[in-house]
Amino acid sequence: QVQVVESGGGLVQVGGSLRLSCAASGRTSSIYTMGWFRQAPGKEREFVGAIGLISSGTYYADSVKGRFTISRDNARNTVYLQMNSLKPEDTAVYYCAARSVGGRGYSPEDYRYWGQGTQVTVSS
């Protein structure tokens, strides 16, 4: 089993920055990819970006490309989501997820392990 816990959410003004963390524990050796998703009220959960824990390759949704960056610290089993130039439409609950198979995962169904989510609110 794998457990993931997000932290770092909060309230930020438009144009500001925020960094989220996601700490994994348990059978972390089984994780191939860590992903970030978000869900705004009344909307479906959507893919934000992901990072391969072996290849370190990253990929992002078009809506955040160039503004958000995912990185990892393998020694701490932690993945980060650096969010810059935040917009009101970035307001959502952000979730971290882990997947134990290879290849890219863009859908929530591609991930098995989920955190509880952390709220990010961007005020205008």
Side-chain angles (χ1 to χ4, degrees), residues 38 40 46 63-64 67-68 83-94 119-122:
R38 66 187 182 186
E46 66 171 358
S63 58
V64 306
R67 300 189 297 122
F68 291 10
M83 304 184 293
N84 299 328
S85 303
L86 284 162
K87 306 174 181 180
E89 51 264 42
D90 294 319
T91 294
V93 177
Y94 282 71
Q119 176 71 46
V120 172
T121 303
V122 184

Side-chain angles (χ1 to χ4, degrees), residues 2-25:
V2 173
Q3 295 80 41
V4 292
V5 178
E6 308 95 338
S7 61
L11 175 65
V12 63
Q13 292 186 333
V14 169
S17 298
L18 206 58
R19 189 178 80 158
L20 305 184
S21 300
C22 173
S25 61

Side-chain angles (χ1 to χ4, degrees), residues 8-105:
L11 175 65
V12 63
Q13 292 186 333
V14 169
S17 298
L18 206 58
R19 189 178 80 158
L20 305 184
S21 300
C22 173
S25 61
R27 290 190 61 197
T28 56
S29 61
S30 68
I31 301 173
Y32 276 75
T33 302
M34 297 289 291
W36 287 96
F37 289 77
R38 66 187 182 186
Q39 188 167 18
K43 295 188 177 181
E44 294 187 352
R45 192 168 298 189
E46 66 171 358
F47 175 75
V48 174
I51 185 168
L53 297 191
I54 297 176
S55 68
S56 292
T58 54
Y59 46 103
Y60 302 90
D62 288 343
S63 58
V64 306
K65 204 172 292 183
R67 300 189 297 122
F68 291 10
T69 303
I70 298 174
S71 60
R72 63 174 182 153
D73 182 340
N74 280 1
R76 291 182 170 84
N77 291 320
T78 299
V79 170
Y80 304 97
L81 177 65
Q82 177 67 45
M83 304 184 293
N84 299 328
S85 303
L86 284 162
K87 306 174 181 180
E89 51 264 42
D90 294 319
T91 294
V93 177
Y94 282 71
Y95 297 90
C96 179
R99 133 189 191 94
S100 298
V101 294
R104 292 191 168 191

